[in-house]
Amino acid sequence: MAGVIDLMISVDDIFPLVCLALLLGYFLYIVYYTLDLFFLNPFQRIPALTPQEELLIASHLPFFNHLSVSKKERFKKRVVRFRQRKRMDFHEDVQEREKITLLLSATAVMLTLGMADFLILSIKRIIVYPTQYYSRITKQDHYGEYNPGLKTIVFSADHLLEGFRIPNDNRNLAVHEFSHAISFNVANKLYIRSYVFLIGMKKIKWLFKNPEFNRRMGQSDYFRAYGKTNVHEFFAVAVENFVETPAAFEAQFPKLYRIIKRMLNFGFYRMPH
């Protein structure tokens, strides 16, 4: 009996220590993650992009060329970190894997350059097929899709690269799908950037349902028809336009342009005209 009592006492003594250790471990993880996020982690060495990689980004994402020197440095560091952190799974027939990985990482960083959380925790895995694929979840053929439940983005390589080949046709599969993921990621966070984003989305929903806005949108033919599917697809399509033809966007739909600019926190960036 004395042995059982001793055991109960020892368990009671250990339990608070275990809880304290768990809390300490969680605190250290948060510190580690925060340092890593802002490139202050002494335990992580950040390799630089090669000159060839930097040139590839500059030639496929005109956005990069219009950044200040300091923003370019932040951009390049974030690209390396994003590429390190995300699991990229390629179908065996996919070619140019390093190029695709780099351009996907650069696109994610471009859209989150005004945000602290650029790693987009709502994405854990990126899958790339060589061309259009059949989704077992939706039971349909797709060029790309984002699954928030699985935290997975799926792309068709040929349509993905086509989006980068023509920089001003308002069609970029990477921008479109990452916009969905960012929307889901930011909306589920409790900080000021989340609040600003949700307010912006509320305004976009109002515009999306507004007859006058829809009349103007139909007359201009500026946004592709797929954006009319629902407000989430409209947001993703609008971000494609925002990235690829900002001057035309601002001229034709200045209110929506300003909303998206605030949502992405692009106040630091002067769009090329």
Side-chain angles (χ1 to χ4, degrees):
M1 185 68 178
V4 173
I5 293 174
D6 290 341
L7 179 60
M8 291 176 63
I9 292 173
S10 64
V11 170
D12 290 340
D13 290 339
I14 291 173
F15 183 73
L17 295 176
V18 172
C19 291
L20 182 62
L22 290 173
L23 288 172
L24 180 61
Y26 180 74
F27 173 75
L28 291 175
Y29 168 77
I30 294 298
V31 171
Y32 181 91
Y33 177 78
T34 303
L35 291 173
D36 198 36
L37 198 61
F38 292 98
F39 310 111
L40 299 172
N41 194 333
F43 305 105
Q44 285 282 343
R45 178 181 173 274
I46 304 174
L49 290 174
T50 67
Q52 292 77 15
E53 288 176 328
E54 189 172 335
L55 181 61
L56 183 66
I57 291 173
S59 62
H60 286 76
L61 290 175
F63 169 92
F64 179 77
N65 299 312
H66 298 279
L67 293 174
S68 66
V69 173
S70 61
K71 286 294 189 294
K72 281 184 178 178
E73 288 304 312
R74 171 188 277 193
F75 187 101
K76 290 186 288 185
K77 289 180 179 179
R78 286 187 170 194
V79 168
V80 172
R81 187 57 52 82
F82 188 93
R83 183 171 58 180
Q84 286 178 331
R85 287 296 189 86
K86 299 305 175 183
R87 174 182 170 184
M88 301 271 187
D89 290 336
F90 292 91
H91 187 274
E92 60 183 5
D93 294 331
V94 175
Q95 307 296 317
E96 301 185 281
R97 298 185 183 189
E98 291 184 359
K99 177 181 179 179
I100 290 173
T101 299
L102 180 65
L103 290 178
L104 286 176
S105 301
T107 301
V109 167
M110 173 182 66
L111 295 176
T112 58
L113 196 59
M115 304 176 187
D117 184 6
F118 67 94
L119 290 175
I120 316 179
L121 298 183
S122 59
I123 302 172
K124 285 188 175 180
R125 185 185 182 198
I126 298 173
I127 302 173
V128 183
Y129 289 98
T131 188
Q132 181 175 299
Y133 61 91
Y134 179 76
S135 172
R136 296 177 182 176
I137 297 174
T138 65
K139 310 300 181 184
Q140 295 177 347
D141 290 332
H142 285 276
Y143 300 147
E145 62 182 316
Y146 170 61
N147 187 310
L150 298 176
K151 295 186 176 182
T152 299
I153 288 188
V154 188
F155 292 106
S156 156
D158 53 1
H159 291 88
L160 181 69
L161 293 172
E162 180 67 12
F164 291 108
R165 189 180 70 82
I166 307 174
N168 59 355
D169 64 347
N170 295 328
R171 290 175 178 267
N172 187 303
L173 184 61
V175 171
H176 188 95
E177 298 305 334
F178 275 123
S179 295
H180 285 313
I182 290 167
S183 179
F184 188 88
N185 187 63
V186 176
N188 287 278
K189 297 291 179 64
L190 297 175
Y191 60 103
I192 187 64
R193 179 56 28 209
S194 175
Y195 176 77
V196 172
F197 196 95
L198 290 173
I199 292 296
M201 187 59 74
K202 185 176 181 180
K203 292 178 179 179
I204 290 176
K205 287 179 181 178
W206 183 86
L207 287 174
F208 186 73
K209 295 178 180 179
N210 183 272
E212 175 60 22
F213 180 83
N214 276 273
R215 183 187 63 80
R216 289 180 53 234
M217 187 168 60
Q219 287 178 341
S220 73
D221 199 29
Y222 178 61
F223 299 105
R224 59 191 171 98
Y226 187 65
K228 297 179 181 179
T229 305
N230 56 54
V231 69
H232 302 291
E233 295 300 343
F234 178 63
F235 169 72
V237 166
V239 174
E240 289 179 85
N241 291 51
F242 180 84
V243 168
E244 297 218 336
T245 56
F249 197 154
E250 186 176 25
Q252 296 189 50
F253 296 93
K255 184 174 182 178
L256 180 58
Y257 174 88
R258 290 193 298 270
I259 290 171
I260 292 179
K261 187 174 183 178
R262 284 195 295 270
M263 290 173 74
L264 298 179
N265 196 27
F266 267 32
F268 66 90
Y269 181 68
R270 185 180 297 276
M271 288 289 185
H273 285 73

